[in-house]
Amino acid sequence: MEINLAVLDRQFELHQTEYEQAALRALRSGWYVLGNEVENFEKEFAKYLGAKFCVGVNSGLDALTLAVRALNIGEGDEVIVQANTFIATVLAITENHATPIFVEPDEFYNIDAEKIESAITPKTKAIMVVHLYGQATNMKKICRLAEKYNLKIIEDCAQSHGAKFQNKMTGTFGIGCFSFYSTKNLGAFGDGGAVVTDDENFAEKIKMLRNYGSKIKYHNEIAGVNSRLDEIQAALLRVKLSHLDELNEERKKIAARYLNEIKNPSIILPKIREGSTHVWHQFVVRVKNRDDFQKYLEQNGIKTVIHYPIPPHLADCYKNLNHRRGDFPVAEKFADEVLSLPMFNAMTAEEIDFVIDVINKF
Ligand SMILES: *Cc1c(COP(=O)(O)O)cnc(C)c1O
């Protein structure tokens, strides 16, 4: 049996007719940029989250970058971020010429809320939280710190569509930044992203920034960019959003089988924090001899991916930050040990059986 990490055509096939009708509706409308589909998707996604405003942009990275920019965070400012994230989280900070201040992750792979306070300096402007792999971060402590030190909270929700902390959606504790890249839980059929906020002025600012910095065409108030969610993607996302809860439920069922049935003492299974929900963007295990384990799975037809092999502080592009191996030992250990198992919608019971069986024989 051959099993990939994610098989996206199956997700399309689950609701194929609806996607085809939505795409045709957008194609036949004659209006392809910032029209009804984007406007309706923005309303529907804001409503789903329990937020007031949603602004569609071109990608998750753009959502994060524009959020940092709209907060006027730049040169000389510091942004606290977890050391075990995807590079895009950090790029959004450095693209704005601000400095990322890394903090170690906790056992749930989220930022360790206990280690944030000692990283705060007079230059700190924001805490960037990543609900990594789909599990909501412990927001209670972080919201308290943000209030105490007057810091903004930016949430990287690229992997957490629908995940909640204490019954409140991720993306509604601070400024929510979402990616709709195809593999994400709420994935488009191409690129897409959104910024979510309850602050109308902030939403207006993102709307201006995404459209060359103008509210009224050809009246440019700020030097903006072109970063718009396009109509066809928005039409397709409206279909997927209407099924998001059932798609997440299905991922939870796959995760429950892995958690109950993988029984191998050399494999550390993911843990769920009390008060958080997990939407299983990735099912990440840890193994001491990870590279052997990955090779063994590959030989048995099971494809896996490492999220992520090099923590941002050790990336070649950030040599200028002068970090060394040993600076963030927890994040480095995770980078050496993590492995993401196959997890996708419409994965069959036989495929799940097979993955479990092969892993238990390792
Ligand atoms: C995917 C992802 C991003 C970037 O989103 P794009 O839409 O690909 O630009 C940012 N942060 C995290 C944690 C991601 O997983």
Side-chain angles (χ1 to χ4, degrees), residues 15-16 55 74 92 95-96 108 127 132 138 145 164 176 212 216 219 232 258 261 281 289 306 317:
H15 305 104
Q16 181 165 351
V55 183
E95 176 66 21
N96 284 289
F108 307 99
I127 304 170
L132 198 71
N138 175 7
L145 283 173
K164 294 175 185 172
Y212 314 116
I216 303 163
H219 292 251
I232 294 180
Y258 282 162
E261 297 172 50
H281 173 61
N289 43 347
I306 300 163
C317 64

Side-chain angles (χ1 to χ4, degrees), residues 58-64 85-90 130-133 156-159 177-184 190-193 281 307-308:
N58 189 251
S59 69
L61 174 58
D62 278 3
L64 290 160
T85 187
F86 179 49
I87 197 82
T89 320
V90 186
V130 189
H131 306 291
L132 198 71
Y133 306 145
D156 181 340
C157 303
Q159 306 188 354
C177 299
F178 288 84
S179 164
F180 307 126
Y181 179 74
S182 317
T183 61
K184 312 291 188 187
D191 277 308
H281 173 61
H307 295 106
Y308 300 92

Side-chain angles (χ1 to χ4, degrees), residues 84 104-112 115 133 135 268-273 284 286 330 334:
N84 63 326
E104 291 272 40
D106 61 17
E107 60 179 318
F108 307 99
Y109 307 114
N110 296 136
I111 193 167
D112 189 337
K115 293 183 180 157
Y133 306 145
Q135 174 155 223
I268 301 172
L269 294 168
K271 293 190 260 300
I272 303 176
R273 183 201 318 278
V284 175
R286 260 176 35 238
V330 182
F334 288 173

Side-chain angles (χ1 to χ4, degrees), residues 92-317:
I93 300 167
T94 56
E95 176 66 21
N96 284 289
H97 310 288
T99 305
I101 302 297
F102 296 106
V103 167
E104 291 272 40
D106 61 17
E107 60 179 318
F108 307 99
Y109 307 114
N110 296 136
I111 193 167
D112 189 337
E114 301 302 326
K115 293 183 180 157
I116 293 175
E117 194 158 15
S118 59
I120 295 173
T121 75
K123 293 180 180 170
T124 310
K125 290 289 178 319
I127 304 170
M128 196 172 278
V129 168
V130 189
H131 306 291
L132 198 71
Y133 306 145
Q135 174 155 223
T137 301
N138 175 7
M139 293 309 296
K140 197 170 166 188
K141 177 107 205 235
I142 292 169
C143 290
R144 232 188 299 131
L145 283 173
E147 201 162 312
K148 182 171 169 192
Y149 292 95
N150 193 24
L151 305 175
K152 301 291 182 190
I153 296 173
I154 303 167
E155 297 175 75
D156 181 340
C157 303
Q159 306 188 354
S160 72
H161 317 78
K164 294 175 185 172
F165 178 73
Q166 293 183 341
N167 242 0
K168 188 171 155 64
M169 284 280 187
T170 55
T172 63
F173 292 89
I175 292 156
C177 299
F178 288 84
S179 164
F180 307 126
Y181 179 74
S182 317
T183 61
K184 312 291 188 187
N185 290 38
L186 179 59
F189 295 79
D191 277 308
V195 178
V196 170
T197 175
D198 279 342
D199 178 340
E200 186 164 17
N201 290 329
F202 192 83
E204 282 304 316
K205 195 160 176 195
I206 299 287
K207 273 189 180 174
M208 274 206 289
L209 281 171
R210 77 169 170 187
N211 200 27
Y212 314 116
S214 67
K215 224 181 279 177
I216 303 163
K217 208 170 184 179
Y218 308 132
H219 292 251
N220 298 81
E221 297 172 44
I222 40 182
V225 296
N226 173 353
S227 180
R228 300 174 297 226
L229 179 63
D230 80 62
E231 283 285 289
I232 294 180
Q233 296 304 340
L236 296 167
L237 281 167
R238 291 178 70 193
V239 175
K240 191 163 281 177
L241 177 60
S242 74
H243 297 292
L244 180 59
D245 286 341
E246 46 190 286
L247 293 170
N248 280 344
E249 261 330 294
E250 190 186 22
R251 284 176 183 270
K252 275 180 209 171
K253 289 203 176 110
I254 299 168
R257 287 210 51 200
Y258 282 162
L259 288 171
N260 288 328
E261 297 172 50
I262 294 176
K263 291 195 182 348
N264 185 325
S266 52
I267 295 177
I268 301 172
L269 294 168
K271 293 190 260 300
I272 303 176
R273 183 201 318 278
E274 208 185 311
S276 294
T277 65
H278 199 318
V279 293
W280 303 104
H281 173 61
Q282 300 296 348
F283 190 96
V284 175
V285 297
R286 260 176 35 238
V287 191
K288 282 258 177 302
N289 43 347
R290 190 260 323 273
D291 296 346
D292 294 339
F293 179 56
Q294 186 175 33
K295 209 172 293 160
Y296 163 82
L297 293 177
E298 172 85 39
Q299 280 159 358
N300 283 279
I302 299 169
K303 296 258 189 317
T304 55
V305 171
I306 300 163
H307 295 106
Y308 300 92
I310 303 168
H313 71 279
L314 299 178
D316 284 341
C317 64

